Amino acid sequence: MGVIQDVIEKVNEKDRGQVEFLQAVKEVLTTLEPTIIKHPDFVKAKIYERIVVPDRAILFRVPWVDDSGEVQINRGFRVQFNNAIGPYKGGLRFHPSVNLGIIKFLGFEQIFKNSLTTLPMGGAKGGSDFDPKGKSDNEVMRFCQAFMRELFRHIGPDTDVPAGDIGVGAREIGYLYGYYLKIVNQNASVLTGKGLEFGGSLIRPEATGYGATYFAAEMLATRGLDIKDKVVVVSGSGNVAQYTVEKVIQLGGKVIGLSDSNGVIIDEAGIDSKKLDYLLDLKNYRRGRISEYAEKFKVLYYADKSIWDVIREQSIKLDIAFPSSHENEIESVNAQAMVNNGCFCVSEGANMPSTMDAIEVFQDNNVLFGPGKAANAGGVAVSGLEMSQNSMRISWSREEVDQKLFVIMKNIHKMSLEASEVYGKKGDYLMGANIAGFLKVAKAMMAYGII
Ligand code: NDP
């Protein structure tokens, strides 16, 4: 058996049941195969074996009291995967589906994503099986305080700097940071995604969606195309989806679909900036459902469906897809339907939203496929810029941050494309991004010796 296959087998045996983690390991390691020949030193130092085991995984109890006075217990996680190139960095996810395997998959992906940004950040991820949906603000606050009561001892501006992810937005970051400040008594850059009044960066909320759109534009440019007048479908309607829609509108594209965990809207006329304002208010302040958008603008609504099922079942035409909701949302049957319906570009706003079979369908059909770790790296990149601004005690303007984000996304695209060419599969962004991200981390690990 080859080195890569050996490592995959071992993960399968030792981390049994961590399905998403195994999937991420397979997806990354199989594309690293060409590095084996060029880097026998990595094989000798067992870099491939070492990189799939986290530096440490912290599990903790999060007890809190709900509004009716009942004690609730959730599980808390922080997986500090690899800090070879900088302090651990990666978001916190609050969602009932969270478990160790999901946090490990996200932390593992984060290593390569952070490396691609060219900023000095290691890979980590954390979260809880707590569901903020349907909870009062007071309950969310009590939960966040209980979560930070343990997390604070594992993080620090030069150690580990968490951020948001699914279920963790501006409100949650505010409660988490406020409690950190209270118990540690240090106004430190220990979280990103902070409010502008307390050390946040302009463009951080927009960064992942804007970045995924910039990445798509770069891919399209390789074929002499752009986003103008293209028909776009975005899944989800959270942070990443919202600002993808905003940037696509700015670049002249037409977004016709969005979703949430209850259903899908198809707005054939296209979502314009007025409708987007309504959506931002609905999702971020009133915490409502996407069905209310359908009622308000009298558009089609499909309850209890994924948007990719709707694209297939209703034969909806599209040019570009931005899966921006959750892992494994696109399976091969829907990938094939997307291709049949005209989709020629997929830029992943979410982490691992396409299954490995779905990716194969895209690649076999010459679809421009931007994998999450490259396409959605804009969020963590601007988090890195937030840390820089905090350290320097300055704030850059909107234009400055957006310009830096644009340049970073352009570079990530260039590095991924170049690595795909050097390693023999030009245009395979999945392989290119994995290899480009991996090499920097592997070289740093080599420099440190066996630790
Ligand atoms: P949000 O919580 O803001 O939004 C998530 C959206 O996806 C919501 O519309 C939610 O619906 C929907 N959703 C989540 N899980 C499911 C599910 N299991 N089934 C159906 N719908 C679901 O999260 P973000 O926008 O921050 O994150 C979205 C994706 O982007 C995630 O994969 C995340 O890891 C990734 N990402 C996020 C970054 C960021 O900066 N925020 C950075 C890089 C990647 P509902 O509201 O009904 O729950």
Side-chain angles (χ1 to χ4, degrees):
M1 235 184 328
V3 174
I4 296 286
Q5 206 47 44
D6 269 351
V7 178
I8 293 173
E9 283 303 315
K10 195 173 265 179
V11 170
N12 195 16
E13 183 194 322
K14 298 280 179 193
D15 302 303
R16 198 165 286 283
Q18 297 176 3
V19 184
E20 293 83 3
F21 177 57
L22 180 63
Q23 181 183 341
V25 166
K26 267 192 194 158
E27 182 242 276
V28 172
L29 288 197
T30 46
T31 61
L32 296 184
E33 193 74 59
T35 63
I36 298 266
I37 301 169
K38 287 202 183 188
H39 296 281
D41 49 335
F42 291 175
V43 176
K44 187 155 185 284
K46 302 218 163 149
I47 293 291
Y48 302 90
E49 281 89 333
R50 282 154 61 187
I51 208 160
V52 298
V53 182
D55 291 347
R56 65 193 66 77
I58 302 148
L59 273 74
F60 52 101
R61 183 177 64 243
V62 190
W64 58 283
V65 181
D66 70 16
D67 285 349
S68 67
E70 195 175 327
V71 177
Q72 301 287 339
I73 313 289
N74 286 98
R75 266 117 179 111
F77 303 88
R78 186 70 183 165
V79 173
Q80 298 177 331
F81 225 112
N82 187 304
N83 66 352
I85 63 167
Y88 300 108
K89 182 97 198 83
L92 298 172
R93 175 177 292 191
F94 293 169
H95 192 272
S97 63
V98 164
N99 58 37
L100 183 60
I102 291 204
I103 298 298
K104 278 178 68 183
F105 122 64
L106 291 163
F108 182 67
E109 292 273 304
Q110 198 82 40
I111 304 171
F112 310 101
K113 181 190 311 196
N114 292 2
S115 166
L116 280 172
T117 65
T118 69
L119 303 174
M121 298 182 290
K125 200 81 185 188
S128 172
D129 58 356
F130 171 76
D131 187 359
K133 235 184 291 157
K135 305 286 190 304
S136 70
D137 284 351
N138 272 330
E139 288 179 321
V140 172
M141 179 183 75
R142 286 196 294 273
F143 172 80
C144 288
Q145 293 179 342
F147 188 83
M148 188 52 87
R149 204 140 52 225
E150 175 59 34
L151 187 70
F152 84 95
R153 64 185 94 248
H154 307 290
I155 61 177
D158 297 314
T159 312
D160 184 354
V161 185
D165 190 76
I166 292 178
V168 179
R171 174 183 60 172
E172 290 74 17
I173 292 288
Y175 290 147
L176 289 163
Y177 188 65
Y179 200 69
Y180 177 87
L181 201 55
K182 185 77 195 164
I183 55 181
V184 179
N185 195 21
Q186 262 180 24
N187 208 319
S189 184
V190 75
L191 286 172
T192 56
K194 300 187 289 294
L196 289 179
E197 306 75 15
F198 51 96
S201 173
L202 287 160
I203 301 286
R204 176 60 189 90
E206 293 89 341
T208 309
Y210 279 18
T213 316
Y214 292 148
F215 195 87
E218 289 299 308
M219 291 196 292
L220 290 167
T222 63
R223 294 191 187 166
L225 299 169
D226 59 27
I227 288 179
K228 192 162 174 6
D229 297 329
K230 302 295 179 300
V231 176
V232 173
V233 170
V234 181
S235 64
S237 48
N239 173 264
V240 178
Q242 293 165 8
Y243 291 102
T244 300
V245 175
E246 182 165 277
K247 188 49 77 180
V248 169
I249 295 173
Q250 285 172 12
L251 297 179
K254 180 177 170 188
V255 182
I256 59 157
L258 281 173
S259 62
D260 65 17
S261 55
N262 292 107
V264 174
I265 60 119
I266 298 293
D267 184 347
E268 296 284 4
I271 299 167
D272 59 21
S273 41
K274 274 213 172 107
K275 291 174 179 172
L276 179 61
D277 285 346
Y278 173 85
L279 181 85
L280 295 181
D281 179 59
L282 172 72
K283 283 291 172 184
N284 302 342
Y285 300 103
R286 291 194 282 124
R287 300 187 189 278
R289 305 280 79 209
I290 197 84
S291 57
E292 294 169 55
Y293 178 105
E295 282 157 29
K296 167 94 179 158
F297 297 110
K298 310 274 177 280
V299 300
L300 293 167
Y301 177 68
Y302 300 89
D304 301 323
K305 294 254 177 213
S306 111
I307 198 161
W308 313 114
D309 285 339
V310 172
I311 298 291
R312 174 172 48 83
E313 290 167 5
Q314 305 298 321
S315 300
I316 291 168
K317 296 276 173 227
L318 75 164
D319 298 314
I320 306 172
F322 289 92
S324 308
S325 171
H326 64 288
E327 58 276 3
N328 293 329
E329 55 178 292
I330 304 182
E331 293 176 357
S332 58
V333 59
N334 287 339
Q336 190 58 58
M338 290 161 70
V339 170
N340 296 347
N341 295 350
C343 180
F344 55 80
C345 177
V346 176
S347 185
E348 293 188 329
N351 285 308
M352 209 168 72
S354 314
T355 63
M356 286 177 81
D357 290 346
I359 295 173
E360 209 176 307
V361 171
F362 294 139
Q363 293 186 328
D364 287 351
N365 286 279
N366 203 25
V367 171
L368 292 163
F369 174 73
K373 67 173 71 63
N376 73 34
V380 73
V382 174
S383 276
L385 300 179
E386 182 174 329
M387 290 163 72
S388 305
Q389 293 170 80
N390 292 164
S391 303
M392 291 189 280
R393 304 281 192 264
I394 56 166
S395 297
W396 289 319
S397 69
R398 249 188 105 75
E399 292 70 28
E400 278 174 294
V401 181
D402 196 18
Q403 182 56 24
K404 288 181 202 301
L405 169 65
F406 179 73
V407 170
I408 289 172
M409 295 313 297
K410 231 178 149 52
N411 279 336
I412 294 175
H413 175 269
K414 186 163 174 276
M415 282 189 299
S416 306
L417 194 57
E418 281 174 2
S420 74
E421 192 171 5
V422 170
Y423 284 85
K425 267 190 162 180
K426 187 172 180 196
D428 181 340
Y429 290 101
L430 180 67
M431 179 182 152
N434 285 342
I435 292 181
F438 166 76
L439 287 177
K440 183 172 166 192
V441 178
K443 286 175 185 169
M445 288 170 74
M446 290 297 292
Y448 299 148
I450 307 301
I451 53 167

